[in-house]
Amino acid sequence: MVFFELFYGSFWETSETKSQGDIGRASLPPRGWNSYDSFCWTITEEEFLQNAELVAQRLKPHGYEYVVVDFLWYRKKTIGAYTDSYGFDVFDEWGRMVPDPGRWPSSQGGKGFSEVAGKVHSMGLKFGIHVMRGLSLQAFNANTLILDTTTGKAYEEAGRQWRAQDIGIKERTCAWMKNGFMSVNTKLGAGRAFLRSLYQQYADWGVDFVKLDCVFGDDLDLDEIIVVSEVLNELSRPIIYSLSPGTNAKPIIAKEVSGLVNMYRVTGDDWDTWEDVSAHFNVARDFTAANLVGVKGLKGKSWPDLDMLPLGWLTEAGSNDGPHRYCRLNLDEQRTQVTLWSMVRSPLIFGGDMRKLDDATFSLLTNPTLLEINWFSSNNMEACSLSSSGKHSLSNHTEDKEKINVLETRVLALRSCKDVKANGWSTKVLDNNVEKVCWEENSNKRKAPFCLNKREALSASEGEMVYQHQNLGRLHLLVTERTELCFGASSNRKLTANEISRGSFSRCRSHANQMWENYNGTLMNSYSGLCAIMDFVRASSGGIRSWLATGRRGEIYLAFFNLNNQVTKMSAKISDITNAIHATSSKCSGTEVWSGTNLGAIKDSISMSVNAHGCALFVLNCT
């Protein structure tokens, strides 16, 4: 029998106004539908509007209001085109992406998404799009002019017109989409003008929600996040500002952006595997404990985002095909996912094809208790789990006494350079004048330090990189002095939520992902501006979790989560629950949501056997 002792620790409490009519953007966690999990990049105008109509009919009454076209809506669906192909994108004379007219016929004649947005608005919904960082490689190579939105003409400064190759930073292309998009130099007036022209166009189309990708987590581009926030703040049209993905995102980094945006991903892509679902528990705990849920954001509030809900009728990641299979999570696992998302107050964005929405999925998405918790609960926190002896334990006993496997992996990871742990590197010069940079293990003097060989960063070939002077003083880090394998910080492919982000070695090149600056004991990556540390990552194959929240009518929500592969009996004392939320009474009654069990008057504790990968959700009334 697993026993929970719940205690009052650090938990957040917002001054949430309990009304959808609040002034401010994202005053409550946004809800909606996104095309990615069911269509990847291939969705057409007809398919999108069919889904939007069904969202309006079936989900809008439950607070789902945003319908979002995910990435590559500007890519022609033809032979040779895929998620990282080159040469298939449609853009205008100013280097701005426009919808592929083959898939989005109403966009012809320079109308962009105007007609689609108008139809979405007529349904009582709001329209959103996915966009990538900065400037496309195609527009860069075409060297398009930059639009000055204040004049309607080409941007001019210092007596000349400015073009894409003046602002694009080719060595900072998105690490996992090398043929796609690159950062722009926001220190230049022309760079800021280009970003302003993008978001002005989205506003002109009637866009209400923008999901900006490849700018957060390991792909951090703080300069672009800031400039886009400033542009959106100035626009007359309110637009929800969302960031993606959140690979390796940590609260210390999130605190730098939470006030600039309205929601931001805190994991890699979430797909329908148990490993992805269970990977969210530590992240959810860390972001709630850091008081980052529902804090001040761009003209409203901001919310850590656990990613879309991949339920129902889906496709595969990176696929060129539309939806063709059902969600691989069983019902217990699906309940665990939607319950955790609600207890954390994450945005709820459904990813399945609405045209094949089954009753079970619809019931999960519209469960009134979950939706009430998601919008109106407070004091949300993970409770600590302890063994019956009172000693802290990561391993919990189940009915068959199986132990939990906890694996510890040592990885090179990225953290904010403000993190005190980042200052752990030192330089060593060997007899042959080879310089190494080494991570000093303070806790283990007997263990040889981890070292990499330093070498001045390679110069780019002519035409490969515009700002070649930016390489001065930057380093490549090699396994040995004789190899040509350099250390890169961010993954060259999109990671899922359960994958551990770690650096990798590949052929040395001029990409900023492989360039480092070594000063004051830190190793700062030139791609993301984050610093490398040696870290220990713990991955558990099971365990138990418990979450608490309070409702707006005084009710208490208690969730048990069983991450084990077998049924586990879990229990919590009523006195510990009420103490955690500063309630004075220990007389409670309640129900369990998923089984419908009426608990009646509860004496001393709540106890229930929870299925493998499943959860129990209690609504308690204590007087």
Side-chain angles (χ1 to χ4, degrees):
M1 179 176 182
V2 178
F3 204 80
F4 273 101
E5 218 173 280
L6 303 170
F7 73 100
Y8 170 77
S10 92
F11 64 88
W12 60 271
E13 184 171 4
T14 70
S15 57
E16 184 73 73
T17 305
K18 315 303 183 190
S19 169
Q20 291 189 58
D22 291 348
I23 297 174
R25 301 176 194 175
S27 59
L28 299 169
R31 294 179 191 160
W33 178 86
N34 180 290
S35 63
Y36 183 72
D37 287 348
S38 44
F39 292 91
C40 191
W41 67 276
T42 64
I43 192 167
T44 65
E45 182 172 332
E46 180 181 15
E47 292 166 333
F48 179 78
L49 290 175
Q50 287 172 348
N51 273 272
E53 288 175 359
L54 291 167
V55 171
Q57 294 169 14
R58 305 197 65 186
L59 296 184
K60 183 176 179 289
H62 304 278
Y64 293 80
E65 62 176 338
Y66 294 96
V67 286
V68 182
V69 183
D70 212 272
F71 81 150
L72 303 183
W73 37 265
Y74 35 81
R75 184 153 296 175
K76 298 175 183 177
K77 189 180 180 185
T78 186
I79 296 174
Y82 64 100
T83 52
D84 194 24
S85 55
Y86 175 82
F88 299 94
D89 294 348
V90 185
F91 55 95
D92 67 12
E93 62 183 307
W94 308 110
R96 302 176 299 180
M97 297 295 103
V98 294
D100 165 31
R103 290 191 289 138
W104 303 88
S106 71
S107 69
Q108 296 181 44
K111 290 181 288 187
F113 275 125
S114 298
E115 289 196 11
V116 171
K119 291 178 180 179
V120 167
H121 294 154
S122 70
M123 301 174 194
L125 300 174
K126 295 180 179 179
F127 176 65
I129 60 173
H130 171 288
V131 297
M132 291 293 296
R133 68 156 61 193
L135 173 74
S136 81
L137 181 58
Q138 275 188 240
F140 178 89
N141 290 337
N143 205 19
T144 53
L145 288 167
I146 295 166
L147 174 65
D148 184 342
T149 57
T150 63
T151 66
K153 300 177 182 178
Y155 181 84
E156 293 187 9
E157 187 180 349
R160 69 180 183 92
Q161 294 181 333
W162 289 66
R163 294 179 174 270
Q165 292 182 9
D166 295 319
I167 64 168
I169 307 177
K170 196 173 180 182
E171 71 270 24
R172 290 187 63 196
T173 54
C174 180
W176 45 266
M177 197 179 186
K178 65 182 186 302
N179 292 316
F181 292 77
M182 67 186 72
S183 294
V184 298
N185 189 339
T186 58
K187 294 179 175 59
L188 298 174
R192 296 191 298 275
F194 176 73
L195 293 176
R196 191 178 305 111
S197 74
L198 293 179
Y199 290 86
Q200 181 62 63
Q201 175 163 265
Y202 305 150
D204 292 343
W205 287 345
V207 169
D208 307 293
F209 182 109
V210 168
K211 175 183 173 182
L212 176 57
D213 208 343
C214 201
V215 293
F216 191 52
D218 282 354
D219 303 296
L220 185 67
D221 189 338
L222 188 57
D223 289 340
E224 180 161 337
I225 292 172
I226 291 171
V227 171
V228 171
S229 183
E230 292 170 348
V231 171
L232 293 177
N233 187 55
E234 295 169 357
L235 293 177
S236 58
R237 182 175 192 83
I239 296 177
I240 294 293
Y241 186 16
S242 171
L243 302 182
S244 179
T247 308
N248 201 34
K250 302 295 180 186
I252 192 171
I253 301 173
K255 287 179 179 178
E256 296 188 48
V257 306
S258 61
L260 303 169
V261 302
N262 301 113
M263 52 187 278
Y264 52 93
R265 282 266 302 282
V266 293
T267 67
D269 284 359
D270 175 61
W271 279 94
D272 52 327
T273 69
W274 172 246
E275 292 75 18
D276 277 358
V277 174
S278 60
H280 286 79
F281 280 88
N282 288 348
V283 176
R285 174 200 63 207
D286 293 346
F287 277 83
T288 52
N291 301 319
L292 282 164
V293 180
V295 299
K296 178 176 171 51
L298 175 62
K299 289 194 171 182
K301 294 190 175 181
S302 70
W303 307 90
D305 175 16
L306 297 185
D307 201 9
M308 292 171 284
L309 296 167
L311 309 175
W313 191 239
L314 306 170
T315 187
E316 307 287 351
S319 175
N320 275 14
D321 299 316
H324 56 271
R325 64 174 182 85
Y326 279 109
C327 173
R328 297 187 178 106
L329 298 172
N330 63 39
L331 182 58
D332 283 314
E333 293 167 340
Q334 292 180 45
R335 285 175 173 172
T336 291
Q337 180 165 34
V338 294
T339 302
L340 178 65
W341 265 236
S342 296
M343 291 294 286
V344 178
R345 303 193 73 199
S346 170
L348 298 180
I349 309 296
F350 175 49
D353 188 347
M354 288 293 301
R355 299 171 303 176
K356 294 194 71 169
L357 179 61
D358 58 280
D359 291 342
T361 302
F362 178 75
S363 178
L364 288 173
L365 295 173
T366 60
N367 182 282
T369 303
L370 292 182
L371 298 184
E372 174 73 17
I373 294 169
N374 177 250
W375 265 3
F376 301 123
S377 62
S378 59
N379 297 337
N380 307 58
M381 57 178 166
E382 183 186 77
C384 248
S385 63
L386 291 90
S387 65
S388 57
S389 64
K391 296 179 180 179
H392 184 72
S393 173
L394 289 174
S395 299
N396 297 283
H397 298 289
T398 61
E399 290 181 342
D400 62 2
K401 306 299 182 183
E402 181 179 328
K403 291 291 185 74
I404 308 305
N405 293 318
V406 179
L407 303 177
E408 190 172 69
T409 306
R410 191 168 180 252
V411 298
L412 269 168
L414 294 177
R415 298 289 185 269
S416 168
C417 294
K418 297 177 182 178
D419 193 322
V420 293
K421 296 179 182 178
N423 188 6
W425 297 92
S426 64
T427 299
K428 299 182 183 296
V429 181
L430 305 184
D431 293 339
N432 55 359
N433 291 324
V434 173
E435 279 192 86
K436 290 179 176 283
V437 59
C438 300
W439 179 261
E440 300 292 344
E441 295 280 1
N442 294 327
S443 60
N444 192 348
K445 296 296 184 181
R446 295 181 180 179
K447 190 172 184 179
F450 173 82
C451 296
L452 294 167
N453 287 268
K454 294 169 63 172
R455 185 180 73 182
E456 184 177 345
L458 293 174
S459 297
S461 58
E462 185 176 355
E464 182 182 356
M465 185 166 55
V466 176
Y467 300 103
Q468 295 191 24
H469 65 274
Q470 291 187 357
N471 273 358
L472 296 177
R474 295 186 178 179
L475 307 169
H476 272 151
L477 302 175
L478 294 83
V479 183
T480 70
E481 59 180 305
R482 296 179 180 177
T483 64
E484 286 300 317
L485 296 178
C486 288
F487 177 56
S490 300
S491 175
N492 59 5
R493 63 179 179 83
K494 291 192 81 172
L495 299 180
T496 61
N498 79 89
E499 293 182 284
I500 297 173
S501 176
R502 66 187 82 193
S504 61
F505 292 90
S506 58
R507 181 180 60 84
C508 299
R509 55 196 182 100
S510 58
H511 196 284
N513 192 35
Q514 289 186 342
M515 295 181 188
W516 301 84
E517 296 178 47
N518 180 208
Y519 62 93
N520 294 331
T522 64
L523 266 182
M524 187 180 76
N525 182 246
S526 299
Y527 171 65
S528 64
L530 299 172
C531 283
I533 68 166
M534 290 298 300
D535 198 11
F536 288 96
V537 177
R538 289 184 174 181
S540 174
S541 60
I544 56 173
R545 302 294 178 98
S546 178
W547 277 75
L548 268 179
T550 53
R552 55 177 167 168
R553 301 177 185 88
E555 68 273 29
I556 300 170
Y557 301 107
L558 169 65
F560 287 160
F561 295 101
N562 177 20
L563 279 59
N564 295 317
N565 294 326
Q566 60 284 319
V567 174
T568 302
K569 193 168 186 179
M570 302 170 66
S571 181
K573 289 182 179 178
I574 291 297
S575 59
D576 291 333
I577 295 171
T578 54
N579 286 340
I581 59 171
H582 297 289
T584 56
S585 174
S586 59
K587 295 181 180 180
C588 300
S589 61
T591 58
E592 198 284 314
V593 172
W594 299 120
S595 64
T597 302
N598 186 342
L599 304 177
I602 304 168
K603 293 183 179 179
D604 300 315
S605 64
I606 298 174
S607 181
M608 180 167 282
S609 292
V610 182
N611 288 342
H613 302 175
C615 69
L617 176 60
F618 304 96
V619 182
L620 307 176
N621 293 287
C622 300
T623 58

